[in-house]
Amino acid sequence: MSQISKQAAYLRGLAEGLGIGDESKEHRIMTAIIALLEEMATRIDEGQAQIETLTDNLETVVEDVCEMQDLLLEDIDDFELLGGDDDDEPMEEIACVSCGDSFLVERETMLAERELACPNCGSMIELDKRKIAF
């Protein structure tokens, strides 16, 4: 029993101990208010129980997804995650001077462009075509 349910039961006991006649207006309104409080306490308790169940279930799902992700990605390197494979155009790794983030760029793009925007911070990076490995 939650604290709210205990308080509603306590109020019912207090109201019954007042000795107000069953037919009085005061008794009827107090009885209705206490019944409402008891119903609200019951619904709150049920809601809290459902939240706890959902939280437990969500934690289980997150753990399962993490396990599946680890299994799926254990043999995949960063190059493959970025969409590259051995049959694609050769790639060059570029490091942003502003944020330090590294990313891969196709050599063909490096030859065609003078500068690229960093996908992490948006800073423009000037491409040095002399550093492209052939």
Side-chain angles (χ1 to χ4, degrees):
M1 182 182 280
S2 72
Q3 186 65 26
I4 295 173
S5 296
K6 290 177 185 176
Q7 290 173 333
Y10 176 74
L11 288 174
R12 179 169 291 286
L14 284 178
E16 290 172 358
L18 287 176
I20 299 173
D22 290 346
E23 299 301 321
S24 71
K25 293 177 185 177
E26 292 86 2
H27 179 267
R28 285 185 284 178
I29 195 161
M30 260 194 242
T31 302
I33 290 171
I34 292 170
L36 175 63
L37 290 173
E38 289 172 335
E39 178 66 24
M40 291 170 64
T42 300
R43 297 221 179 164
I44 289 171
D45 290 344
E46 290 170 354
Q48 287 175 334
Q50 289 174 345
I51 288 171
E52 288 174 16
T53 300
L54 289 172
T55 300
D56 291 343
N57 290 344
L58 182 59
E59 288 172 0
T60 302
V61 169
V62 168
E63 289 171 7
D64 291 347
V65 168
C66 287
E67 286 177 23
M68 287 192 295
Q69 181 180 12
D70 290 344
L71 288 172
L72 290 171
L73 299 179
E74 67 185 11
D75 293 331
I76 298 175
D77 61 15
D78 290 341
F79 183 71
E80 290 174 315
L81 285 175
L82 293 172
D85 60 31
D86 293 337
D87 298 333
D88 286 345
E89 288 289 322
M91 304 286 273
E92 291 289 329
E93 186 172 9
I94 303 284
C96 177
V97 293
S98 297
C99 70
D101 189 36
S102 294
F103 57 97
L104 297 174
V105 178
E106 289 182 356
R107 286 186 192 155
E108 186 176 303
T109 301
M110 288 186 68
L111 291 170
E113 301 293 330
R114 295 179 122 182
E115 58 184 12
L116 291 173
C118 172
N120 185 45
C121 70
S123 295
M124 295 307 288
I125 301 168
E126 189 172 327
L127 299 175
D128 188 353
K129 294 176 182 24
R130 293 173 290 172
K131 293 184 179 179
I132 300 173
F134 289 97

